Amino acid sequence: MVSGRPNGELDAWFRSLMVTSISEKGQAGSGGPVPTLSGWKDLPMELLVRIISTVGDDRMVIVASGVCTGWRDALGWGATNLSLTWCKQSMNNLMISLAHKFTKLQVLTLRQNKPQLEDSAVEVVANYCHDLRELDLSRSFRLSDRSLYALAHGCPRLTRLNISGCSNFSDTALIYLTCRCKNLKCLNLCGCVKAATDRALQAIALNCGQLQSLNLGWCDVVTDKGVTSLASGCPDLRAVDLCGCVLITDESVVALANGCPHLRSLGLYYCQNITDRAMYSLANSRVKSKRGRWDAVKDGLANLNISQCTALTPPAVQAVCDSFPALHTCPERHSLIISGCLSLTSVHCACALHPHRAGRALMANHAY
């Protein structure tokens, strides 16, 4: 709360505005007494925030922020989540004009269909939105290292950062960011070929030990050196996407299997240097966890993409499937993806042997 008004009083104010009719005696439709409103200027700041929150449209929030000083101050205090994905043009200028009004933002989504955002807008965000925790800059092809340096200085509390498709960032700028944003838990670097190098991954492993999700899709300069560093420095990794990282070998998978006991999702699409050794390391990691070598892992791998990994053989992949009950090849719950591997068509999950069990599981899922 901003002004210290009791919640009951705020509820009464809110009812007085939202009900469709009020009786002549000042009784709201719900039956309780309500205050008399003499104008919008009398509304408490907390109530202004609550009204706007019922709209559910970020465009209306932006319009409201320009109505008057009171509305602007209220939104600046209460708005913590903002998305401009609907903006088809002039997103850069709009963000520059808005940032100083939304200083309490914690989640900001600036995803674009076509490049609009420039460094100037990100720098303004970094100057005003110091509480920012989640930021989506995906497909911002115009951004340069200036943006990462600004975020490093202005938004040290970041926990989720999506810069997928931002192909102009360098590994030097990314390393600098990780030195200051050490609370990162989710990082999407898909397509960031210049930024996602082994040198950058070593810095992430050194600085961001809480990391849980990392997308390195199509970062084709990444090698085993970078991935093994991640596995040792970020033991809490749950999801790793290495799709299109054509230089990695079994060493990367072995390191992840041994160093990341909570791994739930692994993408190896088109990693054609992966062999049976990698699969057996994953299967054996489950055995090790059961023996108590690591903390207990309830389900282990639940998603594995090995499409186009043509060197794999059925016995090795079957061993992984048998070790992790959450991996499925059946159409209803497809989570072991083997498309493009004609030699693996004989691999099956437990549902293939017990179709009635699969039916029960599917019904249970639909119940929720």
Side-chain angles (χ1 to χ4, degrees):
M1 293 180 61
V2 178
S3 61
R5 292 182 178 84
N7 285 334
E9 182 181 343
L10 280 178
D11 289 338
W13 281 93
F14 189 67
R15 287 198 310 272
S16 72
L17 287 175
M18 304 308 289
V19 294
T20 56
S21 62
I22 300 178
S23 64
E24 294 181 353
K25 294 182 179 180
Q27 302 294 313
S30 59
V34 297
T36 301
L37 298 177
S38 59
W40 290 104
K41 62 182 179 61
D42 296 326
L43 294 180
M45 188 177 292
E46 306 97 312
L47 186 55
L48 289 175
V49 175
R50 191 183 298 188
I51 292 170
I52 296 299
S53 69
T54 64
V55 176
D57 188 334
D58 287 332
R59 283 170 286 192
M60 184 62 70
V61 172
I62 292 170
V63 171
S65 69
V67 169
C68 64
T69 302
W71 283 75
R72 183 195 66 199
D73 292 343
L75 290 167
W77 179 269
T80 59
N81 193 322
L82 183 66
S83 173
L84 297 186
T85 56
W86 49 267
C87 186
K88 304 305 179 184
Q89 58 184 357
S90 302
M91 180 187 288
N92 197 74
N93 292 336
L94 181 60
M95 196 64 247
I96 290 175
S97 67
L98 289 176
H100 71 283
K101 300 180 181 181
F102 295 90
T103 57
K104 299 299 181 180
L105 281 181
Q106 295 186 14
V107 181
L108 178 60
T109 304
L110 300 175
R111 189 185 307 112
Q112 306 146 80
N113 290 325
K114 62 178 182 179
Q116 302 179 58
L117 211 62
E118 298 177 2
D119 292 322
S120 54
V122 179
E123 288 172 334
V124 172
V125 169
N127 286 337
Y128 288 100
C129 305
H130 301 304
D131 289 334
L132 204 61
R133 311 298 169 88
E134 302 180 18
L135 177 61
D136 188 343
L137 296 174
S138 53
R139 300 178 63 83
S140 299
F141 303 121
R142 295 182 180 178
L143 298 184
S144 72
D145 286 350
R146 282 172 50 193
S147 291
L148 290 189
Y149 286 125
L151 291 173
H153 285 284
C155 306
R157 298 183 180 182
L158 280 175
T159 59
R160 301 175 67 96
L161 178 63
N162 185 347
I163 53 174
S164 60
C166 299
S167 53
N168 290 327
F169 292 150
S170 72
D171 60 348
T172 301
L174 181 59
I175 290 170
Y176 189 82
L177 178 83
T178 65
C179 291
R180 291 178 172 264
C181 300
K182 297 188 176 184
N183 296 320
L184 283 172
K185 292 186 177 180
C186 298
L187 182 60
N188 191 334
L189 301 175
C190 182
C192 299
V193 180
K194 295 179 183 178
T197 64
D198 288 341
R199 195 165 73 100
L201 297 187
Q202 289 174 320
I204 292 172
L206 179 64
N207 297 315
C208 305
Q210 301 178 56
L211 198 67
Q212 296 181 3
S213 175
L214 179 62
N215 189 332
L216 295 171
W218 307 105
C219 296
D220 54 12
V221 299
V222 169
T223 72
D224 293 333
K225 184 178 181 180
V227 179
T228 53
S229 296
L230 282 171
S232 61
C234 304
D236 204 27
L237 277 171
R238 315 292 175 90
V240 180
D241 194 336
L242 298 171
C243 294
C245 296
V246 294
L247 298 181
I248 69 166
T249 70
D250 295 336
E251 296 300 327
S252 291
V253 180
V254 171
L256 291 170
N258 291 333
C260 304
H262 303 290
L263 193 64
R264 295 276 290 162
S265 178
L266 179 60
L268 297 171
Y269 172 73
Y270 211 73
C271 298
Q272 296 187 329
N273 293 320
I274 300 299
T275 71
D276 288 352
R277 178 176 171 237
M279 296 298 100
Y280 284 120
S281 70
L282 290 172
N284 290 335
S285 70
R286 177 67 168 179
V287 175
K288 291 176 183 177
S289 66
K290 285 183 177 179
R291 291 175 180 170
R293 184 170 176 176
W294 297 324
D295 293 336
V297 183
K298 290 184 178 181
D299 299 312
L301 274 179
N303 291 280
L304 177 62
N305 187 344
I306 49 175
S307 297
Q308 302 297 333
C309 295
T310 53
L312 299 177
T313 65
V317 178
Q318 187 65 60
V320 177
C321 198
D322 292 341
S323 295
F324 298 100
L327 289 178
H328 293 274
T329 56
C330 51
E332 298 89 350
R333 307 169 69 190
H334 203 50
S335 58
L336 174 58
I337 305 173
I338 55 177
S339 58
C341 301
L342 297 179
S343 63
L344 301 181
T345 54
S346 62
V347 175
H348 54 78
C349 60
C351 298
L353 299 177
H354 306 285
H356 60 284
R357 183 183 304 173
R360 288 202 305 269
L362 187 60
M363 291 178 63
N365 289 339
H366 286 175
Y368 293 96

